């Protein structure tokens, strides 16, 4: 029986308007909201204040890639990887600053251990082995369906030979690990293509560098002709049935290649495209969908020429699917405001709208408010052209050609399917009768439904029956930052769309747990109390955990930046000054905004928005009316704060970096009103970059020595001063021209430096005068953070989870 909006509002003690907003934003139904647990209701209400997180996430990442002129250098990423290859080829196998470097690992495949052929000799992969990451594409070997490939947004191409029981990366030294799609040649399953970069406006991982190909399902190589700006964001690849023609949909148009070497690519459509498909039975026919312009095209000559399809008017991204039973039927999932299904009866030449209703006859908002980000459609049943599956935040099944949609997954239930759907692929033996197995790729990894007809058919939410998670060391989690407690060994990390996570060494890599939902950000661990951790939601919303990160925030009372859930009004509210950070309330902060725990005083936190905020009682009990008190100790400088560092042993020395490259220092940071001076702006040895300051690291024993890192595909992304900022030296002359995101100084051997870049980790034994590329562990993945647990270095990646290496035995 249908549940009315008024009934949901009454049962959850929220307003009708809130129910309507939740349904629209989450792409869900009244029935699902009625089953929503109380804690999930509060989290969902909070997200209403941040309606377009994927866009904000993408803009944040782009800021870190821009050069001084505000643009991202077109060939920057590809050139950086070429530089890495050159450095590796010139260096003999060795150990540099305690980590393996040089060419030795070039032929190895580093990754989660232990896996056959994958054992790491020095680095230890920490996981998460049970929490995946954004997966944009999946293909299966028709001759061996247990052999599956998946591509991740930040962690490259992964392969399993046992149906998902164990995964491993195919090659950690691919020139690009940001993958947007994968396609298999229907005429030869050993030939596959991977498109790099994500064209769906959420460029929060790394830019692409063309298309990669394998012809033996083992060795991958770039297609040189695609390593151009036209192929920075490849959203979909289609291969004709006979394998002769390849079509690539990119952010700059549709490209076609018909020569076996794929040496020639011709632009055949000049519109940004998100999808392209060949007719599964006829290689002369193909369809393509717009990336954001609300249009579709069709071809009748193998993709040589294209005509605009009729139908609409449409808006936004258009995803397409041929019906396997009758390819004259083509379905379109059109972004619009919250999603519409359209159907063509003439092979994609014209479309008519389907009803797109819930089983109760109400409009189905199946894409929610982010169909540009997660939008997938499938009609691959060879026995039923009316069976359609669509995915937005959740998955929906239609048995009448898109007129009515029933939810079959539930985003808030851990035993269902993770939110944000990107790929739907049938088992090669799917026949609609004896085999109805389908695979799904989403922001949580890879999932399987063994019977598409019965999965998620419970009478009411949550829909969990029939779903199987296939993460199992599919280690592609995208972390932004991390922290750990040396005594307990626990590590926490803030992850893209997977919340704030905790690793307990007693539980292992397969048991990472979420202790705060949403997007995770910067982290801190109280060195004096193993039970106290700090994490962050977006825009400087700092939260505190006091039970060793063993439980989630179920009452909405763990924010110490000022937010709290008002049970009287059933909505989120803000405390009065001084018990809030005004920049957090007003979103005057970066999407992932920096905060640090003073290494000399566990009661002091510094947090950066437009101003720099400080609390000196971080452990103050938190209530709806008080808690830690905040005050601004550095006024705004016209650009958001992007990096903060406090000198170990001297809390008065504080360094602050901004998104426009400005760096400030104070020598009385504990004063009520510290005096700040901009450093490096002028002089013969000035700090040159005028781009995003990604990090500041203060020397462990000398507060006048600091290392500053910058974004952009440029030289000069690492600088050092030894005189409190009066003079600066460029340490990046031997490093690739890529964003540098983190730097760590060995606590005891301070001449040993470790540098995290967009293209992997580098080590130096001479205080940065020379650098060596590492050959295992993080390899070519973006390294976003580095931190110490005593003399164990933990490497936090944006696409491969976390790694650690024990450097305590260095003489």
């Amino acid at each position: 029986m249908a549940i009315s909006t008024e009934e949901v509002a009454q049962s959850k003690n929220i307003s009708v308007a809130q129910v309507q907003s939740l349904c629209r934003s989450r792409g869900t139904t009244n029935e699902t909201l009625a089953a929503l647990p109380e804690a999930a209701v509060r989290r969902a209400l909070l997200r209403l204040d941040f309606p377009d997180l994927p866009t904000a996430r993408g803009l944040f990442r782009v800021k870190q890639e821009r050069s001084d002129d505000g643009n991202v250098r077109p060939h920057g990423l590809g050139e950086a990887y070429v530089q890495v290859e050159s450095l590796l080829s010139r260096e003999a196998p060795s150990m540099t600053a305690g980590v393996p470097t040089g060419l030795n690992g070039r032929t190895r495949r580093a990754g989660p251990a232990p896996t056959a052929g994958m054992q790491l000799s020095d680095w230890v992969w920490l996981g998460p082995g049970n929490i995946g990451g954004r997966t944009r594409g999946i293909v299966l070997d028709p001759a061996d369906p247990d052999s599956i490939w998946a591509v991740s947004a930040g962690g490259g191409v992964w392969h399993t030979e046992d149906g998902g029981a164990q995964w491993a990366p195919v090659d950690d030294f691919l020139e690009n690990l940001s993958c947007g799609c994968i396609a298999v040649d229907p005429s030869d399953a050993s030939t596959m293509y991977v498109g790099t970069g994500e064209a769906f406006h959420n460029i929060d991982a790394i830019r692409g560098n063309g298309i990669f190909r394998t012809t033996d399902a083992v060795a991958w190589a770039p297609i040189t002709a695609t390593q151009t700006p036209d192929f920075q964001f490849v959203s979909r690849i289609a291969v004709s049935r006979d394998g002769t023609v390849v079509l690539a949909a990119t952010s700059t148009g549709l490209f076609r290649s018909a020569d076996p070497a794929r040496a020639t690519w011709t632009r055949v459509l000049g519109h940004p495209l998100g999808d392209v498909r060949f007719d599964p039975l006829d290689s002369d026919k193909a369809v393509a969908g717009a990336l954001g312009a609300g249009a579709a095209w069709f071809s009748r000559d193998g993709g040589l020429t294209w005509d605009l399809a009729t139908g609409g008017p449409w808006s936004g991204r258009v995803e397409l699917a041929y019906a396997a039973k009758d390819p004259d039927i083509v379905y379109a999932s059109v972004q619009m405001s919250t999603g519409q299904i359209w159907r063509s009866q003439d092979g994609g030449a014209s479309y008519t709208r389907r009803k797109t209703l819930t089983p109760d006859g109400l409009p189905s908002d199946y894409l929610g408010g982010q169909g540009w980000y997660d939008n997938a459609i499938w009609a691959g049943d060879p026995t039923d052209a009316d069976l359609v599956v669509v995915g937005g935040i959740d998955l929906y099944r239609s048995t009448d050609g898109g007129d009515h949609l029933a939810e079959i997954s539930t985003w808030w239930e851990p035993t269902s399917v993770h939110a944000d759907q990107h790929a739907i692929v049938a088992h090669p033996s799917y026949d609609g009768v004896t085999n109805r197995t389908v695979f799904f790729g989403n922001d949580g990894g890879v999932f399987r439904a063994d019977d598409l007809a019965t999965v998620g058919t419970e009478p009411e939410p949550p829909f969990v029956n029939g779903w199987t998670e296939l993460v199992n060391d599919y280690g592609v989690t995208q972390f932004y930052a991390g922290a750990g407690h040396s005594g307990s060994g626990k590590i926490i990390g803030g992850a893209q769309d997977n919340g704030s996570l905790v690793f307990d060494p007693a539980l292992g890599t397969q048991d990472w747990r979420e202790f705060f939902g949403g997007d995770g950000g910067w982290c801190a661990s109280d060195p004096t109390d193993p039970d106290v951790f700090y994490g962050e939601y977006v825009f400087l919303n700092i939260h505190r955990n006091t039970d060793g990160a063993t439980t989630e925030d179920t009452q909405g009372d763990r924010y110490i930046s000022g937010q709290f859930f008002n049970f009287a009004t059933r909505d989120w509210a803000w405390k009065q000054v001084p018990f809030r950070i005004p920049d957090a309330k007003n979103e005057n902060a970066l999407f992932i905004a920096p905060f640090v725990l003073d290494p000399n005083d566990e009661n002091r936190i510094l947090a950066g928005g437009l101003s720099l905020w400080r609390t000196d009682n971080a452990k103050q009990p938190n209530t709806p009316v008080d808690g830690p008190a905040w005050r601004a100790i550095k006024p705004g400088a016209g650009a958001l704060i992007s990096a903060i560092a406090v000198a170990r042993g001297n809390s008065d020395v504080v360094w602050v970096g901004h998104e426009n490259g400005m760096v400030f220092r104070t020598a009385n940071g504990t004063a009520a009103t510290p005096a700040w001076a901009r450093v490096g702006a002028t002089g013969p040895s000035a700090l040159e970059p005028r781009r995003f300051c990604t990090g500041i690291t203060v020397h462990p024993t000398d507060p006048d020595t600091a290392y500053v890192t910058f974004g952009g595909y440029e030289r000069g992304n690492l600088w050092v001063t030894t005189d409190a900022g009066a003079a600066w030296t460029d340490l990046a002359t031997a490093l690739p021209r890529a964003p540098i995101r983190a730097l760590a100084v060995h606590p005891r051997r301070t001449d040993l430096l470790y540098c995290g870049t967009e293209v992997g980790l580098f080590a130096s034994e001479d205080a940065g005068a020379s650098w060596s590329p590492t050959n295992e562990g993080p390899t070519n993945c973006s390294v976003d953070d580095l931190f110490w647990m005593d003399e164990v270095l933990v490497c936090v990646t944006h696409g491969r989870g976390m790694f650690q290496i024990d450097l305590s035995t260095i003489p």
Side-chain angles (χ1 to χ4, degrees):
M1 182 177 177
I3 300 176
S4 70
T5 300
E6 291 75 14
E7 288 174 320
V8 177
Q10 184 176 12
S11 69
K12 297 302 178 185
N13 194 23
I14 59 179
S15 69
V16 168
Q18 285 175 314
V19 174
Q20 293 170 336
S21 295
L22 287 174
C23 282
R24 285 193 301 269
S25 67
R26 301 301 297 176
T28 192
T29 63
N30 285 342
E31 288 70 25
T32 294
L33 290 185
L36 204 61
E38 173 64 18
V41 170
R42 290 194 288 273
R43 287 196 296 269
L45 288 172
L46 176 61
R47 290 200 65 166
L48 293 178
D49 294 333
F50 308 102
D52 205 0
L53 292 182
T55 297
R57 187 187 304 138
L59 292 174
F60 167 70
R61 204 73 179 179
V62 170
K63 284 184 176 183
Q64 299 172 327
E65 298 177 336
R66 288 175 176 155
S67 300
D68 291 354
D69 62 3
N71 298 312
V72 179
R73 204 157 57 86
H75 297 280
L77 184 64
E79 292 174 0
Y81 280 120
V82 170
Q83 292 164 23
V84 174
E85 290 290 307
S86 176
L87 290 171
L88 281 167
S89 66
R90 296 202 305 261
E91 188 167 330
S94 63
M95 298 290 287
T96 304
V99 299
T101 57
L103 189 60
N104 183 53
R106 181 60 184 88
T107 58
R108 300 176 56 191
R109 297 181 182 177
T115 304
M118 301 285 293
Q119 184 70 44
L120 302 183
S121 59
D122 294 281
W123 287 91
V124 177
W125 186 67
L126 300 178
N130 61 316
I131 297 172
R134 188 161 70 251
T135 300
R136 285 289 186 183
I138 304 169
V139 296
L140 289 82
D141 185 341
D144 180 10
D146 284 338
S147 185
I148 307 171
W149 286 263
V151 295
S152 66
V157 186
W158 289 63
H159 181 225
T160 175
E161 297 179 344
D162 50 18
Q166 185 73 43
W167 294 83
V170 301
D171 188 346
D172 270 358
F173 289 90
L174 285 178
E175 290 183 18
N176 194 281
L177 298 182
S178 174
C179 299
C181 57
I182 185 170
V184 62
D185 186 336
S187 67
D188 178 6
S190 62
T191 296
M192 288 175 279
Y193 300 84
V194 166
T196 62
E198 288 185 283
F200 304 109
H201 304 293
N202 59 300
I203 44 178
D204 57 296
I206 47 181
R207 288 175 175 251
N209 191 35
I211 297 174
F212 289 78
R213 178 174 66 165
T214 178
T215 56
D216 59 7
V218 176
W220 293 79
I223 298 176
T224 303
T226 66
Q227 293 185 298
T228 72
D230 283 328
F231 292 85
Q232 283 188 334
F233 301 106
V234 182
S235 53
R236 193 83 72 238
I237 296 172
V239 187
S240 62
R241 187 184 184 192
D242 57 11
T244 59
V245 177
V246 177
L247 299 173
T250 80
S251 60
T252 63
L254 181 66
F255 292 83
R256 182 181 189 270
S257 178
D259 64 297
R262 307 303 174 203
T264 301
W265 293 79
T266 303
R267 192 198 312 268
V268 291
L269 262 178
H271 303 272
L273 294 179
D275 196 14
V276 63
R277 309 278 175 174
F278 268 109
D279 184 311
L281 302 181
D282 187 344
S283 295
D284 286 335
K285 297 179 180 179
V287 292
L291 186 61
W297 292 265
F298 66 97
S299 174
R300 296 291 185 262
D301 56 9
L304 279 170
T305 61
W306 293 82
D307 294 306
L308 184 66
T310 59
W314 291 350
S315 64
R317 176 180 165 191
V318 177
E319 286 288 299
L320 302 166
Y322 280 99
K325 179 176 173 59
D326 180 5
D328 283 338
I329 297 175
V330 181
Y331 287 95
S333 175
V334 186
Q335 179 185 339
M336 304 300 284
S337 57
T338 55
Q340 292 179 5
I341 297 176
W342 292 63
R343 184 168 69 180
S344 171
Q345 300 286 147
D346 54 13
S350 62
Y351 291 83
T352 57
R353 184 178 175 181
R354 306 299 289 174
K355 295 178 182 177
T356 320
L357 302 173
T358 69
D360 301 315
L362 300 174
S364 175
D365 299 333
Y366 69 95
L367 289 182
Q370 54 186 59
W372 58 268
Y373 173 69
D374 39 32
N375 185 353
I377 187 166
W378 175 92
D381 193 305
T383 69
D384 186 355
D386 286 332
L387 178 58
V388 181
V389 178
V390 291
I393 294 174
D394 274 322
L395 289 160
Y396 290 76
R397 177 179 52 224
S398 173
T399 58
D400 57 10
D403 277 342
H404 296 87
L405 300 176
E407 280 182 290
I408 58 174
S409 72
T410 305
W411 91 86
W412 48 262
E413 171 53 51
T415 57
S416 186
V417 174
H418 197 283
D420 299 320
Q421 313 305 318
H422 306 299
I424 308 174
V425 178
H427 190 283
S429 299
Y430 184 106
D431 58 14
V433 181
T434 61
N435 185 313
R436 292 192 289 250
T437 301
V438 180
F439 297 82
F440 300 83
N442 50 51
D443 273 12
V446 182
F447 292 74
R448 185 185 72 227
D450 288 323
D451 189 343
L452 187 61
T454 61
V455 67
T457 53
E458 294 96 320
E460 60 185 30
F463 303 110
V464 300
N465 290 343
W467 291 110
T468 302
E469 179 192 273
L470 298 179
V471 175
N472 304 322
D473 281 349
Y474 177 57
V476 297
T477 304
Q478 295 172 287
F479 283 109
Y480 291 110
H485 191 276
S486 300
S488 68
K490 284 187 177 181
I491 292 172
I492 64 170
Q496 181 266 308
D497 208 38
N498 278 296
S500 295
L501 307 174
V502 59
F503 165 73
D504 186 337
L507 301 177
T509 61
Q510 289 291 333
D511 202 8
W512 283 69
R513 300 181 182 183
E514 181 179 288
F515 67 94
F516 212 93
D519 280 280
W522 287 59
C523 303
S525 171
D526 186 329
T528 67
D529 188 340
D531 288 335
V532 177
F533 290 105
Y534 299 89
E536 176 191 43
Y537 187 47
V538 297
F539 302 115
L540 201 59
N541 285 283
I542 302 170
H543 50 81
R544 181 183 66 200
N545 178 279
T546 58
D547 61 13
T550 58
T551 63
E552 288 195 71
D553 180 21
T554 59
Q555 298 299 312
D557 61 355
R558 293 185 179 175
Y559 283 112
I560 60 170
S561 48
Q563 278 216 64
F564 70 97
F565 190 76
N566 189 323
F567 285 88
T569 63
R570 298 294 294 168
D571 208 347
W572 287 87
W574 287 86
K575 303 174 190 178
Q576 296 299 310
V577 173
F579 306 112
R580 73 179 184 210
I581 300 177
D583 283 349
K585 180 179 184 296
N586 300 323
E587 296 182 31
N588 282 329
L590 291 169
F591 179 76
I592 302 298
F595 77 89
V596 298
L597 185 66
D598 186 331
N600 314 297
D601 186 345
E602 70 276 10
N603 291 300
R604 183 179 296 122
I605 292 177
L606 301 180
L610 191 59
S611 301
L612 182 67
W613 299 87
R614 185 183 73 204
T615 180
D616 295 316
N617 60 341
K619 295 184 179 182
Q620 179 75 15
N622 205 31
T623 77
V625 296
D626 60 16
W630 297 90
R631 64 179 298 162
I633 62 168
K634 179 181 179 295
L640 299 176
I641 292 173
S642 56
I644 309 168
V646 180
R648 186 171 297 276
N650 188 347
S651 296
D652 278 321
V653 176
V654 181
W655 297 76
V656 174
H658 291 258
E659 61 177 342
N660 64 354
M662 293 188 298
V663 176
F664 292 81
R665 183 184 186 272
T666 182
N668 64 334
T670 61
T673 307
W676 295 90
R678 184 177 175 185
V679 298
T682 59
S685 302
L687 192 58
E688 296 178 1
R690 298 295 181 264
R691 51 189 179 270
F692 197 104
C693 176
T694 55
I696 301 175
T697 302
V698 185
H699 191 282
T701 60
D702 180 5
D704 288 339
T705 296
Y707 302 86
V708 182
T709 59
F710 295 89
Y713 292 102
E714 301 292 345
R715 295 203 183 279
N717 281 337
L718 171 59
W719 295 74
V720 65
T721 179
T722 58
D723 55 9
W728 294 85
T729 301
D730 180 3
L731 295 182
T733 55
L735 288 169
R737 296 175 62 178
I740 296 178
R741 303 189 181 279
L743 184 125
V745 183
H746 194 286
R748 175 172 45 85
R749 284 282 308 277
T750 57
D751 54 335
L752 307 184
L753 304 183
Y754 309 87
C755 183
T757 80
E758 189 82 3
V759 290
L761 186 75
F762 293 77
S764 172
E765 291 186 340
D766 49 19
S770 62
W771 295 92
S772 297
T774 53
N775 61 37
E776 68 165 45
T779 58
N780 279 11
C781 188
S782 178
V783 176
D784 277 33
D785 194 15
L786 296 164
F787 66 89
W788 295 98
M789 298 175 68
D790 292 331
E791 293 188 11
V792 172
L793 179 64
V794 181
C795 179
V796 180
T797 79
H798 196 72
R800 282 290 175 83
M802 294 194 194
F803 297 78
Q804 73 175 26
I805 189 167
D806 187 348
L807 300 176
S808 63
T809 59
I810 296 176

